[in-house]
């Protein structure tokens, strides 16, 4: 059973618009949550990591929230650019060390059009 | 610049063939991982290692062997490749804590015909 569900599966926005990507998970325990960006045919690049209950992070035009009670995270992208076209992957770690597992969502494919 | 480098970038082999995927990291990380990525699935962990000579079994290890020869080098071996192993393979490294860098290679696309 998939433990990390992302929505929407795909999203098309116009350049300059804002968008919100959702991540719901059932992983227990949930030590931390990461958002990655994956350009087509490329590796994953970490955007942010959230660790604590009600964490909020900001990295340029990317901002993220984590609600551990609801097991839910959002990734906000402000004023999208064409280069934001990519797959965004939510990953939940069940331990604070590498002895734990990372649980990957299948990703949200974002397409930014002119 | 610290990095994870995978080779080859693309590989085609026949069913029953022998394939080795290579990964080298210059991050001085202790942990290295091999994942496969298939359409509609999240990345799935095949094997990982926390140092030279160490090997840990991941979540989908069947049909794969791995070897960590040095801190920098981690290899994935498919000794009898099957079409079900057609996939995009990623190597990653990390220092192993929640807030640590987690660096991925660019991937190796393997086609087994």
């Amino acid at each position: 059973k998939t433990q990390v569900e992302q929505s929407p599966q795909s999203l098309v926005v116009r350049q300059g618009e804002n968008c919100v990507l959702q991540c719901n998970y059932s992983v227990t325990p949930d030590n931390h949550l990461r958002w990655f960006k994956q350009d087509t045919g490329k590796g994953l690049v970490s955007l942010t990591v959230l660790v604590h209950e009600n964490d909020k992070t900001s990295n340029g035009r990317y901002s993220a929230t984590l609600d551990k009670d609801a097991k839910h995270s959002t990734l906000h992208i402000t004023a999208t650019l064409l280069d934001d076209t990519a797959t965004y992957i939510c990953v939940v770690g069940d331990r604070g060390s590498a002895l734990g597992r990372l649980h990957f969502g299948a990703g949200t494919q974002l397409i930014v059009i002119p | 610049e610290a990095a994870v480098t995978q080779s080859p970038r693309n590989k085609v082999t026949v069913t029953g063939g022998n394939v080795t995927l290579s990964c080298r990291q210059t991050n001085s990380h202790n942990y290295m991982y091999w994942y496969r990525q298939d359409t509609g699935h999240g990345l799935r962990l095949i094997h990982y290692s926390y140092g030279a000579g160490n090997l840990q079994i991941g979540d989908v290890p069947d049909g794969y062997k791995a070897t960590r020869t040095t801190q920098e080098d981690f290899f994935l071996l498919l000794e009898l490749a099957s079409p079900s192993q057609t996939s995009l393979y990623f190597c990653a490294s990390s220092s192993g804590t929640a807030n640590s860098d987690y660096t991925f290679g660019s991937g190796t696309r393997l086609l087994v015909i």
Side-chain angles (χ1 to χ4, degrees):
Chain A
K1 184 183 183 298
T2 303
Q3 296 192 65
V4 180
E5 300 275 1
Q6 293 187 242
S7 61
Q9 193 170 17
S10 62
L11 180 61
V12 179
V13 299
R14 290 202 178 275
Q15 184 177 350
E17 291 179 343
N18 303 333
C19 65
V20 181
L21 283 57
Q22 312 282 351
C23 178
N24 289 287
Y25 62 91
S26 57
V27 177
T28 300
D30 52 344
N31 179 273
H32 62 278
L33 186 147
R34 289 177 183 267
W35 283 95
F36 285 93
K37 178 185 180 186
Q38 184 181 25
D39 292 320
T40 302
K42 300 285 180 64
L44 283 67
V45 175
S46 181
L47 294 174
T48 191
V49 59
L50 303 110
V51 178
H52 305 294
E53 171 64 31
N54 295 323
D55 246 0
K56 290 183 172 62
T57 62
S58 182
N59 178 9
R61 292 179 300 103
Y62 301 103
S63 60
T65 65
L66 175 63
D67 181 343
K68 283 196 171 184
D69 279 344
K71 292 189 180 289
H72 177 75
S73 177
T74 59
L75 178 69
H76 297 247
I77 307 176
T78 303
T80 53
L81 303 173
L82 297 178
D83 282 348
D84 291 333
T85 294
T87 298
Y88 292 82
I89 298 175
C90 173
V91 182
V92 180
D94 60 16
R95 296 278 191 276
S97 73
L99 294 175
R101 286 283 193 268
L102 294 182
H103 302 264
F104 290 77
T108 291
Q109 185 180 19
L110 174 65
I111 299 171
V112 182
I113 60 175
Chain B
E1 182 181 313
V4 174
T5 304
Q6 293 183 234
S7 63
R9 193 81 172 89
N10 296 283
K11 177 74 177 177
V12 180
T13 190
V14 295
T15 299
N18 195 320
V19 176
T20 297
L21 306 186
S22 301
C23 178
R24 165 164 281 215
Q25 58 104 356
T26 57
N27 300 325
S28 300
H29 284 161
N30 290 326
Y31 288 84
M32 295 185 74
Y33 310 82
W34 277 107
Y35 291 93
R36 60 178 289 172
Q37 185 179 37
D38 304 291
T39 303
H41 290 88
L43 271 71
R44 291 180 288 177
L45 181 64
I46 303 170
H47 290 298
Y48 66 105
S49 164
Y50 54 73
N54 176 264
L55 181 64
Q56 302 294 317
I57 294 172
D59 299 321
V60 290
D62 292 346
Y64 301 96
K65 292 184 180 178
T67 179
R68 180 90 175 267
T69 54
T70 64
Q71 187 185 33
E72 293 79 20
D73 297 300
F74 195 29
F75 300 94
L76 186 67
L77 294 81
L78 292 73
E79 294 183 332
L80 285 171
S82 73
S84 66
Q85 294 175 308
T86 292
S87 188
L88 181 57
Y89 291 87
F90 285 102
C91 176
S93 74
S94 84
S95 61
T97 61
N99 290 327
S100 72
D101 284 343
Y102 213 96
T103 308
F104 281 80
S106 297
T108 293
R109 192 170 292 280
L110 175 66
L111 174 62
V112 184
I113 57 175

